[in-house]
Amino acid sequence: MPAVRFQPGDTVMGRWPGSNLYYEVKVLRFDPKTQLYTVIYKDGTELELKDGDIKSLTGFKQGRSRSRSRSRSPARTRRSRSRSPARTVRRSSSRTTEVRKEKFKEVLEVRLTPVKTEEESENQVGSRYNLRRRKDQGDGRPAELEKKLEAILPQATPREAVKTTELEFGGRFGVLFWLLFLPVMVLALLILCAQEDASLLNFPLTPPPLHSLWDCQVFGIVLLWLLFQAVLSLLPIGKVVEGMPLKNGKTLKYRINGFYALIFSAISVGAASYNEVDLSYIHGHFLQFYTSALIISILLSVYLFIRSRWAAVDDLAPAVIFVKIIQLNPRIKDFDIKFFCEMRPGLIGWVVINFAMLLAEMKHKNLDTPSPAMLLVNGFQLLWVADGLWHEEKLLTMMDIVHDGFGFMLAFGDLAWVPFTFTCQAYYLASHPSDLSAFWIVAIMIMNVVGYYIFRKANSQKFAFRRNPSDPALSHLKTIPTATGKSLIVSGLWGFVRHPNYLGDLIMALAWSLSCGFNHVIPYFYLIYLILLLVHRNARDEHQCRKKYGLAWGEYCKTVRYRIFPGIY
């Protein structure tokens, strides 16, 4: 086992990930399993660095002093030229290489210097650290030096991804719990929704017979649906865009045609309904559809597990289920499996299932038109899905794509959880009608419109700012700069709460649930789940941001006090 070169508390020079720049850092701890040092920069940012990315403070300064002494006196070179031109050529050639290498080392050294910006004087925040090269501080070195040296020595400092082995969702025991608990919980929810008395007091539930959980024909339908959506995603329509830079420095390309897939799917479902295909079949075999989706998500997870064993190190990400390391963005050539599952089969399937429940309500209740409550739920959720697919490109900035590895948690969530729990309101209304007065219909519609406005405005602003912070349309926003070069918005909706998009999403979820009345708590399952999900996601997000932005994040939290609910949380 290699010896540990640095001890906790040592002050060393650490390389900033993905760059050639070194900063003075303090060693916090060393993990013998991962062979990584956890260090803290002067602005409070904590990162994990490899041994090769850390240099001792004395050794770093000695390297600089040696390079200066070698290039201090040009007189010796001139004397050699007068004595022997042939000898001069050899010496100048070798000295030029040496000087270039030593100058290259000098370029790598930077200083963390406190600077103040206009935004700070406006918001009355204290001094911050900013990443600046020495050439920017007026030491007389030409600005083009680093570019020239990179051309001379392109292999001197290869870019390496910073990997982390941090396990989330409760670690291994938490992973096992969710693996067993979530599928059973969804099954219990569907059984309750189908009962005449959908009360939680009916627990424990009687297990359904096995034949009601499996049907080969249903399994084939689910496979055909996945194949149909995969074909639509590969159609050469829609623009091709680049995603956000990943931790390994790569930028992947994605074809954005989800809204077209929704239109083609709607046309196909409409044609099937016109040709008297009984779509209420989905309602009658709902448990079998769920079981089929569950089995497919498990099989996909096993495939991803096996595939990750031979994946390149830079393609791996922290796992949330099954294994310690899984792939971040598994692909089959240009087909991105995670991006496809995130938006296509589950979300579009959600809309199709809702429509099937609407037809089932009309069929079983002998109605000529759907009930107002069913129309509200279908309309609200269709708007949410259509909006997500219309703004599909914005998904590329979300934590699911940029940070989370693709394993069972996301596979099950995309293929089974979303289409079979997000449809619980429509599934409930198919058997439990809700009579809404005109007042409640208008109030619920207004609530959904307000929630949608907050949700869409906040997400659009966030996406535009991430893509181009210098956009003139965003010049009115106040920001706090950070040591990473990025800024944090502290005005408008993002100055109201830290996650206004979450707030808008929750207001819409409340409107969907209120459409089902107040007789049972089951229709409010989605609202309860969403609150728990977003509070947990907020905690994960803040943990990552605190490590990434350091002291700037603390100042941001002081400026924007509330996370999701103004005045409460």
Side-chain angles (χ1 to χ4, degrees):
M1 182 175 178
V4 179
R5 290 202 300 152
F6 307 105
Q7 301 298 325
D10 289 353
T11 300
V12 296
M13 299 299 293
R15 185 167 72 89
W16 187 263
S19 74
N20 302 330
L21 311 177
Y22 281 78
Y23 302 91
E24 191 173 300
V25 298
K26 183 178 181 181
V27 177
L28 296 181
R29 57 186 172 274
F30 176 76
D31 189 342
K33 293 183 179 179
T34 61
Q35 296 293 304
L36 294 177
Y37 290 91
T38 300
V39 300
I40 184 169
Y41 291 76
K42 286 186 177 180
D43 70 336
T45 303
E46 291 186 19
L47 290 177
E48 291 180 327
L49 299 180
K50 294 181 178 180
D51 185 89
D53 293 335
I54 301 177
K55 298 180 182 295
S56 66
L57 197 59
T58 55
F60 199 86
K61 290 182 177 178
Q62 287 174 1
R64 288 186 60 235
S65 63
R66 284 197 300 269
S67 67
R68 288 174 180 170
S69 64
R70 286 172 184 148
S71 59
R72 190 173 295 152
S73 175
R76 287 187 296 179
T77 306
R78 286 196 296 269
R79 286 197 297 270
S80 67
R81 287 195 187 104
S82 63
R83 278 200 302 267
S84 174
R87 184 179 176 185
T88 302
V89 172
R90 289 195 301 272
R91 292 182 68 181
S92 62
S93 174
S94 61
R95 284 185 59 81
T96 300
T97 304
E98 268 190 345
V99 170
R100 283 175 176 172
K101 290 183 178 179
E102 296 302 330
K103 285 186 176 180
F104 184 76
K105 290 182 179 179
E106 291 182 22
V107 172
L108 298 186
E109 183 190 359
V110 299
R111 289 188 301 211
L112 281 169
T113 58
V115 297
K116 288 190 176 183
T117 63
E118 294 180 3
E119 290 86 353
E120 292 177 359
S121 59
E122 279 187 31
N123 298 313
Q124 297 179 347
V125 293
S127 63
R128 303 177 181 82
Y129 288 100
N130 186 32
L131 303 181
R132 300 180 64 185
R133 295 179 177 85
R134 291 185 62 88
K135 63 185 176 62
D136 296 331
Q137 311 237 353
D139 61 356
R141 305 194 190 285
E144 295 82 6
L145 179 59
E146 184 174 358
K147 292 182 180 179
K148 290 180 179 179
L149 292 176
E150 285 178 356
I152 296 170
L153 301 171
Q155 303 298 326
T157 53
R159 293 173 62 91
E160 296 178 1
V162 178
K163 310 307 289 183
T164 175
T165 56
E166 181 179 355
L167 294 178
E168 298 175 337
F169 295 93
R172 298 185 185 278
F173 292 105
V175 157
L176 181 62
F177 170 76
W178 292 116
L179 174 64
L180 300 175
F181 175 71
L182 290 178
V184 175
M185 186 176 70
V186 176
L187 182 62
L189 174 70
L190 299 183
I191 294 174
L192 271 178
C193 280
Q195 288 184 348
E196 184 176 348
D197 181 14
S199 173
L200 293 177
L201 299 177
N202 288 331
F203 274 98
L205 299 172
T206 303
L210 290 179
H211 67 82
S212 65
L213 296 176
W214 173 255
D215 185 274
C216 292
Q217 179 176 322
V218 170
F219 187 79
I221 293 173
V222 175
L223 285 178
L224 286 176
W225 172 255
L226 292 173
L227 179 61
F228 175 60
Q229 291 301 320
V231 171
L232 293 180
S233 72
L234 294 174
L235 292 178
I237 57 176
K239 60 183 178 180
V240 176
V241 301
E242 288 189 347
M244 298 292 292
L246 304 175
K247 284 189 175 183
N248 56 18
K250 295 181 180 179
T251 302
L252 302 177
K253 292 185 177 181
Y254 301 87
R255 181 170 293 280
I256 306 300
N257 60 7
F259 193 77
Y260 296 106
L262 176 64
I263 294 175
F264 288 143
S265 299
I267 293 173
S268 301
V269 171
S273 182
Y274 179 79
N275 287 283
E276 299 183 350
V277 175
D278 186 13
L279 295 178
S280 65
Y281 175 86
I282 297 176
H283 175 267
H285 298 78
F286 206 44
L287 292 182
Q288 297 168 347
F289 275 95
Y290 165 67
T291 306
S292 299
L294 173 62
I295 292 174
I296 291 173
S297 64
I298 293 175
L299 293 176
L300 176 59
S301 301
V302 173
Y303 163 73
L304 294 170
F305 164 69
I306 297 173
R307 173 193 174 108
S308 66
R309 300 302 89 199
W310 290 273
V313 175
D314 282 352
D315 293 335
L316 300 178
V320 295
I321 203 76
F322 266 161
V323 290
K324 190 175 182 180
I325 296 296
I326 53 176
Q327 283 186 279
L328 180 62
N329 298 97
R331 289 189 162 205
I332 302 175
K333 292 188 177 180
D334 292 333
F335 181 73
D336 192 293
I337 303 174
K338 179 164 73 170
F339 185 67
F340 166 74
C341 291
E342 281 280 326
M343 295 295 287
R344 304 305 179 85
L347 283 187
I348 300 178
W350 175 8
V351 175
V352 174
I353 290 173
N354 274 357
F355 181 64
M357 299 305 166
L358 181 147
L359 296 177
E361 180 197 44
M362 294 175 61
K363 178 179 179 181
H364 298 316
K365 303 296 180 183
N366 296 319
L367 301 175
D368 295 328
T369 58
S371 66
M374 182 67 83
L375 286 175
L376 287 177
V377 168
N378 270 258
F380 292 162
Q381 296 181 354
L382 174 61
L383 172 65
W384 195 94
V385 172
D387 173 87
L389 292 170
W390 178 263
H391 297 280
E392 186 180 21
E393 183 179 354
K394 297 178 175 62
L395 174 71
L396 301 178
T397 65
M398 293 178 61
M399 182 182 290
D400 289 358
I401 297 294
V402 179
H403 176 265
D404 291 346
F406 191 52
F408 176 81
M409 189 70 77
L410 286 181
F412 171 77
D414 295 336
L415 302 180
W417 180 272
V418 168
F420 294 95
T421 62
F422 289 17
T423 56
C424 68
Q425 284 116 348
Y427 189 43
Y428 172 85
L429 288 173
S431 305
H432 308 84
S434 175
D435 296 326
L436 298 175
S437 64
F439 169 80
W440 277 109
I441 292 175
V442 173
I444 290 172
M445 291 179 66
I446 293 175
M447 181 182 296
N448 194 79
V449 170
V450 171
Y452 175 74
Y453 172 80
I454 297 173
F455 172 80
R456 176 45 43 216
K457 180 75 173 178
N459 275 327
S460 296
Q461 201 171 71
K462 177 183 71 172
F463 178 79
F465 188 79
R466 283 182 174 177
R467 284 294 186 184
N468 182 16
S470 302
D471 189 343
L474 306 174
S475 60
H476 64 285
L477 296 176
K478 295 181 180 181
T479 61
I480 291 180
T482 71
T484 64
K486 298 180 180 179
S487 298
L488 303 171
I489 307 175
V490 291
S491 65
L493 288 174
W494 292 93
F496 187 54
V497 291
R498 297 177 204 169
H499 296 283
N501 50 340
Y502 293 178
L503 177 62
D505 214 351
L506 288 169
I507 293 174
M508 286 190 289
L510 178 60
W512 303 353
S513 300
L514 288 174
S515 301
C516 300
F518 303 96
N519 293 331
H520 297 288
V521 73
I522 288 297
Y524 292 82
F525 169 84
Y526 174 74
L527 175 63
I528 298 170
Y529 150 76
L530 192 62
I531 292 174
L532 297 176
L533 171 72
L534 296 183
V535 168
H536 176 260
R537 180 171 290 182
N538 168 76
R540 293 179 67 206
D541 185 57
E542 295 219 352
H543 175 68
Q544 295 293 332
C545 289
R546 195 171 300 279
K547 290 173 59 178
K548 183 177 181 181
Y549 299 121
L551 295 178
W553 183 255
E555 294 174 2
Y556 167 76
C557 293
K558 291 178 182 178
T559 306
V560 186
R561 292 178 56 195
Y562 298 105
R563 296 173 175 88
I564 302 175
F565 305 104
I568 302 174
Y569 174 76

